[in-house]
């Protein structure tokens, strides 16, 4: 139980659920409730598969392709920066987000790198190497899935949260989220470059 609680809390907070929710609300501002729920389910499924794959095969995948965590930091930071620019600029044409666009958002950038960023990947790699037996592996898997499902529920009921925040509140959240996302992307890239150059 102690391992379950520790793993659950660690993964829940390292995935920054409230930040993910604000990005989700911003990106789906013009989407219908049904589209939001569909996207939330797709994001949750993507998170489960990605997190489990990284937990058990992350080190091997990175080694096969010759990718270091710092290289991932730089790439993920660049991708996050592009997302931040779009959030700050907003939609000029005011077009409604359609289902195909939402499908594109499910894996990138919502699942990775916004929810599963370099920090979460690092934790998953360390956790995967730290499990000593099959029992710990099973407990770790269940705790990880539970953390992802809780985040999924938050996204699934985001339309309720949107009603509480209001349209003007969402607009403010959108701009603030974009600024924080830009700062976060810069920090991720700087960390990757710093470690790569051994500064």
């Amino acid at each position: 139980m102690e391992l379950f609680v520790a793993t659950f809390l660690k993964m829940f907070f390292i995935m920054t659920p409230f930040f993910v929710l604000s990005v989700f609300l911003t990106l789906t501002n013009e989407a219908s409730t049904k589209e939001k729920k569909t996207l939330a389910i797709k994001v949750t499924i993507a998170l489960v598969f990605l997190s489990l794959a990284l937990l058990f095969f992350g080190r091997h995948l990175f080694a096969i392709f010759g990718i270091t965590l710092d290289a991932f930091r730089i790439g993920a930071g660049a991708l996050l920066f592009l997302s931040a620019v779009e959030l700050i600029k907003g939609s000029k044409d005011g077009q409604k987000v359609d289902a195909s666009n939402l499908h594109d958002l499910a894996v990138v950038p919502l699942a990775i790198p916004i929810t599963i960023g370099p920090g979460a990947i690092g934790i998953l790699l360390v956790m995967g190497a730290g499990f000593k037996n099959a029992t710990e592996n099973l407990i770790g898997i269940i705790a990880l899935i539970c953390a992802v499902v809780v985040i999924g529920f938050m996204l699934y009921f985001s339309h309720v949260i949107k009603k509480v925040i209001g349209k003007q509140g969402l607009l403010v959240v959108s701009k603030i989220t974009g600024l924080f996302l830009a700062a976060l992307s810069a920090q991720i890239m700087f960390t990757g470059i710093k470690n790569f150059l051994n500064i």
Side-chain angles (χ1 to χ4, degrees):
M1 181 59 69
E2 184 178 344
L3 177 61
F4 174 84
V5 174
T7 303
F8 173 82
L9 292 176
K10 182 183 294 182
M11 292 315 306
F12 180 75
F13 287 107
I14 198 67
M15 291 183 184
T16 59
F18 302 105
F19 178 71
V20 173
L21 178 62
S22 66
V23 174
F24 183 89
L25 283 171
T26 302
L27 292 177
T28 61
N29 186 25
E30 299 298 326
S32 66
T33 300
K34 182 179 179 180
E35 289 172 339
K36 289 180 181 180
K37 289 183 176 181
T38 301
L39 178 59
I41 294 173
K42 290 180 179 178
V43 171
T44 304
I45 294 173
L47 286 174
V48 169
F49 281 103
L50 286 171
S51 57
L52 290 178
L54 287 167
L55 184 66
F56 294 108
F57 307 110
R59 291 176 300 164
H60 305 294
L61 290 175
F62 276 47
I64 289 173
F65 292 103
I67 301 173
T68 64
L69 184 58
D70 292 319
F72 181 84
R73 282 191 176 102
I74 297 172
L79 182 60
L80 274 176
F81 183 77
L82 294 177
S83 300
V85 172
E86 291 300 319
L87 290 180
I88 295 173
K89 288 171 58 179
S91 178
K92 294 183 178 180
D93 53 13
Q95 291 181 348
K96 188 177 182 291
V97 179
D98 58 39
S100 62
N101 288 335
L102 287 178
H103 177 74
D104 293 338
L105 295 174
V107 178
V108 179
L110 285 174
I112 188 168
I114 289 178
T115 307
I116 302 180
I121 289 177
I123 293 295
L124 286 169
L125 297 181
V126 172
M127 284 174 52
F131 292 144
K132 300 176 182 178
N133 50 55
T135 302
E136 290 189 0
N137 275 327
L138 181 60
I139 294 174
I141 291 172
I142 295 174
L144 178 58
I145 292 176
C146 287
V148 171
V149 169
V150 171
I151 294 175
F153 271 112
M154 291 174 63
L155 300 182
Y156 189 84
F157 294 104
S158 62
H159 62 286
V160 177
I161 299 175
K162 180 180 178 180
K163 289 180 180 179
V164 175
I165 295 176
K167 188 173 182 179
Q168 291 300 321
L170 186 60
L171 180 62
V172 173
V173 170
S174 173
K175 303 300 181 182
I176 295 177
T177 299
L179 290 173
F180 277 104
L181 199 58
L184 179 62
S185 66
Q187 185 61 56
I188 291 173
M189 286 190 288
F190 290 158
T191 301
I193 294 172
K194 179 181 178 181
N195 292 340
F196 181 76
L197 297 176
N198 294 318
I199 299 177

